Amino acid sequence: MLRALLSGLGWRKGIWGCAFSSWQPHQPPAGLSATEVVSHWTVVFEEKGIPEARESSEYIVAHVLGAKTFQSLRPALRTQPLTPWQLQCIQELSSYRLQRMPVQYILGEWDFQGLNLKMAPPVFIPRPETEELVEWVLEEVTQGPRVVGAEGGPLILEVGCGSGAISLSLLSRLPQRVGGGPWSPSLVSEHPASHVPLFLGQSRVTAVDKGEAAICLTHENAQRLRLQDRIQIVPFDVTLVESWAHLLPWGPVDLVVSNPPYVFHRDMENLAPEILRYEDPVALDGGEEGMDIITHILALAPQLLKDSGIFLEVDPRHPELVGSWLQSQPDLPLNLVAVRRDFRGRPRFLHIRRSGPQRVSPVDAWPGRQPARVPG
């Protein structure tokens, strides 16, 4: 059904191709301005119970007019009458929102950590919380103890890369080598935007995913961002123990990072239609307690990991469950050493390291930054 739905308009340079057709329900009258069309579709979306009605309308109208956000449009573009073609394109895209398709899929792109990434169903759409996971990993790499690979920068393994959002945002903030030799304190500078010190060694990522669509989308996004030379993208099923041997030639890795499937199976039916109808359930369903993939990562990561640790995004119920599970595995050389809260105050991120003097620490009250609300 989804294949037939998506073939109706066709994909063209990140925007759904818009074909002229006869009058359709909810079509606004000719001669309206962008501002008036936003108001029109906001009312329609609200009447149909579409979440984030105004935001959805603004994103669609801005996209058709060639902007990322409605607020970034020049004032003249907001007030001048739209062309019949523009109105028709907005009509077509809005019809998909009425079917509860996420805005990210409708637009075909979305920003993550300042990077413009292509989005396509059914590959999992990165959430704002995951940007906070990236920030925490960057803290560890840039401000924590020395975390470097053989070429001077860290070698990072991402399990379940999806669109490549985590891997590519890390690579974009951990630049390429600018000088030879191993890492030393002299090979540190400041990122001009965030004023965070960054290694100038060669950082690299091995990104794995079991989904063919995710592998292809990560490849495409890496090419778009010109990061393809620093990332290895590998089809890989974390639940198959024997498949880990294929990663050994690229290890050992300095960090493992993952936003794994962690939704409790009983909670799947309560997810929004935008998620249930369009996103891959395999990227969401973590089994009975949301722990199926998490425990596979924890059980197998020590075979590839040095001592810097594993960073995970999880359900707020998981810190306690993961801590208990690790205590039940005395032969596994891992400790939960830190838990961080997301911007809503929920315990969301875990840092797990090889066994050492540190024990489980209290949940940090770090709130993170407040991202923009995401429709859909």
Side-chain angles (χ1 to χ4, degrees):
M1 182 180 73
L2 181 58
R3 186 183 301 274
L5 172 68
L6 299 181
S7 64
L9 289 178
W11 191 270
R12 187 171 67 226
K13 293 184 180 179
I15 184 172
W16 294 97
C18 300
F20 285 96
S21 61
S22 59
W23 181 88
Q24 300 178 38
H26 316 300
Q27 190 171 21
L32 294 185
S33 68
T35 299
E36 291 168 329
V37 170
V38 165
S39 297
H40 168 85
W41 282 108
T42 297
V43 171
V44 173
F45 290 156
E46 288 174 345
E47 290 175 347
K48 298 299 181 180
I50 304 300
E52 308 284 359
R54 174 161 290 276
E55 289 86 347
S56 297
S57 179
E58 288 182 343
Y59 275 118
I60 289 171
V61 172
H63 188 67
V64 171
L65 295 181
K68 287 187 178 181
T69 67
F70 191 76
Q71 290 69 29
S72 67
L73 285 171
R74 290 186 291 108
L77 287 178
R78 299 185 201 178
T79 56
Q80 69 186 29
L82 299 182
T83 68
W85 181 86
Q86 290 169 333
L87 288 171
Q88 185 64 29
C89 279
I90 293 167
Q91 165 77 32
E92 298 283 2
L93 300 184
S94 297
S95 71
Y96 284 95
R97 189 70 190 104
L98 287 171
Q99 297 174 61
R100 303 299 290 266
M101 180 178 280
V103 167
Q104 294 90 337
Y105 290 155
I106 295 172
L107 305 185
E109 61 187 18
W110 199 251
D111 281 1
F112 182 92
Q113 280 278 318
L115 303 180
N116 184 254
L117 300 174
K118 179 177 178 180
M119 296 287 144
V123 179
F124 183 76
I125 298 168
R127 271 55 172 184
E129 291 88 341
T130 309
E131 297 196 45
E132 298 179 280
L133 175 64
V134 170
E135 292 293 340
W136 196 13
V137 174
L138 287 168
E139 279 184 36
E140 174 68 17
V141 173
T142 61
Q143 296 180 342
R146 174 173 164 171
V147 181
V148 293
E151 297 187 36
L155 174 59
I156 300 168
L157 170 65
E158 183 190 1
V159 180
C161 57
S163 64
I166 293 176
S167 291
L168 297 174
S169 59
L170 288 172
L171 286 178
S172 72
R173 297 280 295 277
L174 296 170
Q176 299 185 49
R177 175 193 299 277
V178 296
W183 179 91
S184 71
S186 63
L187 290 179
V188 175
S189 71
E190 285 194 340
H191 187 281
S194 62
H195 303 292
V196 174
L198 294 178
F199 292 134
L200 296 182
Q202 177 76 31
S203 54
R204 297 168 294 141
V205 169
T206 298
V208 303
D209 202 293
K210 66 182 293 185
E212 181 181 357
I215 291 292
C216 291
L217 191 58
T218 296
H219 268 292
E220 183 166 349
N221 281 324
Q223 293 279 348
R224 283 164 61 112
L225 299 169
R226 299 182 181 180
L227 293 169
Q228 68 274 13
D229 294 337
R230 297 166 59 204
I231 184 171
Q232 301 170 100
I233 306 164
V234 184
F236 174 79
D237 186 348
V238 71
T239 65
L240 302 178
V241 176
E242 61 273 14
S243 66
W244 279 76
H246 298 298
L247 299 181
L248 291 175
W250 294 309
V253 299
D254 298 288
L255 298 169
V256 175
V257 59
S258 182
N259 177 16
Y262 60 69
V263 177
F264 286 50
H265 181 72
R266 63 179 178 271
D267 295 337
M268 286 291 293
E269 62 183 19
N270 299 322
L271 296 176
E274 284 82 355
I275 299 172
L276 289 175
R277 294 181 190 176
Y278 298 100
E279 293 191 80
D280 185 0
V282 174
L284 296 157
D285 192 342
E288 183 178 357
E289 291 189 318
M291 291 273 289
D292 287 3
I293 303 302
I294 293 172
T295 54
H296 277 290
I297 293 172
L298 296 179
L300 298 173
Q303 300 179 44
L304 296 169
L305 182 67
K306 292 181 183 177
D307 61 357
S308 298
I310 306 162
F311 290 84
L312 300 175
E313 179 177 328
V314 297
D315 183 275
R317 293 166 284 185
H318 279 144
E320 182 177 353
L321 291 173
V322 169
S324 297
W325 185 86
L326 288 173
Q327 290 178 5
S328 72
Q329 308 290 320
D331 295 331
L332 195 64
L334 296 173
N335 279 338
L336 174 60
V337 296
V339 181
R340 282 199 176 188
R341 298 180 183 272
D342 63 19
F343 62 90
R344 293 187 176 96
R346 300 168 299 190
R348 178 67 70 185
F349 312 108
L350 307 182
H351 183 191
I352 297 160
R353 297 185 65 131
R354 284 189 177 278
S355 297
Q358 286 183 296
R359 305 303 299 173
V360 178
S361 62
V363 174
D364 186 2
W366 178 75
R369 57 189 176 81
Q370 291 282 352
R373 299 182 70 191
V374 179

